[in-house]
Amino acid sequence: VSSCLTWADTLTAQKAEERAARQAERDEMIANGEELPEEDDEEPAEDAEDEEVPSFSDDNYQRRVPHAGFQHWKEVEHRVKVANSDTLHTYVVFAGLPYGGGEDYLAPLFKAAWHREALPMHTDGSNNVPMIHVDDLATVVFKTGTYLEVLPQRFILGVDRGLSTWGQVVKALNSAMGVGETYQEPRLSTVAHAEWFTINIKLDGAVIHELIDESEWVAVDGFAASIDRVVDE
């Protein structure tokens, strides 16, 4: 069981590759004495509000680029992959941010809400945070380990369908048990698990939804849709 943080910089890397390809094309046109199209005179804005964030699926695993602090996790994932044999079938489950059942990642937020304090916003709230209820993650591991045949995909995204943004996570918790107030937290270096709260990637776990029937899910639609249950837990 690994982490979606080994995918954290995939979108950033993809954009960098696209910019490099555009620049290489421009350089070649200039070298050949060709005139650049007017629309190429300026680079497109990186943070356009209407820009659609692409989604990555299980079969994009070879394109994943990890968070700087999780490069060694990716190396372990590779070791698990090469350990596969006719008698030992290995899989990698990329777990989203686990919640429910008292998981500690979101404990500071729950504590702040319980004490009727404003909740921290580590970004503008629009970043996409892959998540999964801890019981659903356990089900994925169980289903993978007890599957009667060899699964066609050995790299599995363990994420729900919520596609939650950090803003939606904070808003849901505030609505359920907080005071409805937030504040901007700029000191990310002092925040435990800040890499989870600032990650921005959409992950579509197709394999997991084939493994688990709809009725077996605890929180298929994500954190915000299951907030009452999570608060009780």
Side-chain angles (χ1 to χ4, degrees):
V1 179
S2 188
S3 168
C4 284
L5 287 170
T6 58
W7 293 67
D9 287 346
T10 305
L11 180 57
T12 302
Q14 176 177 290
K15 288 183 176 180
E17 290 176 1
E18 292 171 353
R19 286 196 300 271
R22 287 197 301 267
Q23 187 59 49
E25 184 178 353
R26 288 162 59 90
D27 292 343
E28 183 178 356
M29 292 179 68
I30 293 172
N32 294 333
E34 301 176 24
E35 185 177 346
L36 295 176
E38 291 184 6
E39 60 269 22
D40 284 349
D41 287 345
E42 295 182 3
E43 286 291 309
E46 287 295 320
D47 298 319
E49 292 184 2
D50 57 351
E51 182 182 5
E52 180 66 24
V53 177
S55 178
F56 297 95
S57 58
D58 307 87
D59 55 5
N60 296 138
Y61 69 91
Q62 290 182 325
R63 298 169 57 190
R64 71 191 187 284
V65 178
H67 180 282
F70 282 75
Q71 180 63 46
H72 58 299
W73 284 55
K74 185 178 179 181
E75 294 171 3
V76 174
E77 293 166 0
H78 178 69
R79 288 174 180 267
V80 170
K81 176 184 178 181
V82 299
N84 188 71
S85 68
D86 291 338
T87 55
L88 175 65
H89 303 300
T90 61
Y91 301 93
V92 174
V93 177
F94 304 100
L97 171 62
Y99 62 89
E103 287 294 307
D104 62 347
Y105 290 96
L106 298 178
L109 268 75
F110 277 87
K111 182 177 180 180
W114 179 261
H115 287 285
R116 312 294 289 172
E117 299 171 358
L119 303 186
M121 290 290 292
H122 306 88
T123 64
D124 65 1
S126 63
N127 55 304
N128 299 276
V129 182
M131 304 180 74
I132 189 169
H133 193 286
V134 66
D135 288 349
D136 290 327
L137 178 57
T139 301
V140 175
V141 174
F142 175 77
K143 291 276 189 176
T144 302
T146 58
Y147 199 71
L148 294 179
E149 301 176 6
V150 178
L151 290 171
Q153 180 57 274
R154 291 166 52 202
F155 287 81
I156 303 169
L157 287 168
V159 294
D160 57 39
R161 290 178 180 164
L163 295 177
S164 301
T165 64
W166 182 243
Q168 291 170 337
V169 171
V170 173
K171 182 179 179 180
L173 183 54
N174 245 334
S175 299
M177 58 184 294
V179 292
E181 298 178 1
T182 62
Y183 70 93
Q184 203 66 33
E185 175 55 83
R187 302 165 299 173
L188 294 180
S189 61
T190 65
V191 177
H193 311 303
E195 62 274 8
W196 270 119
F197 312 143
T198 56
I199 190 175
N200 184 25
I201 190 168
K202 282 185 178 180
L203 297 176
D204 178 16
V207 175
I208 185 177
H209 295 289
E210 295 177 4
L211 280 175
I212 308 178
D213 293 334
E214 193 82 15
S215 60
E216 296 178 286
W217 278 87
V218 168
V220 67
D221 292 322
F223 181 86
S226 309
I227 187 61
D228 291 337
R229 176 193 178 106
V230 177
V231 167
D232 287 343
E233 291 172 344

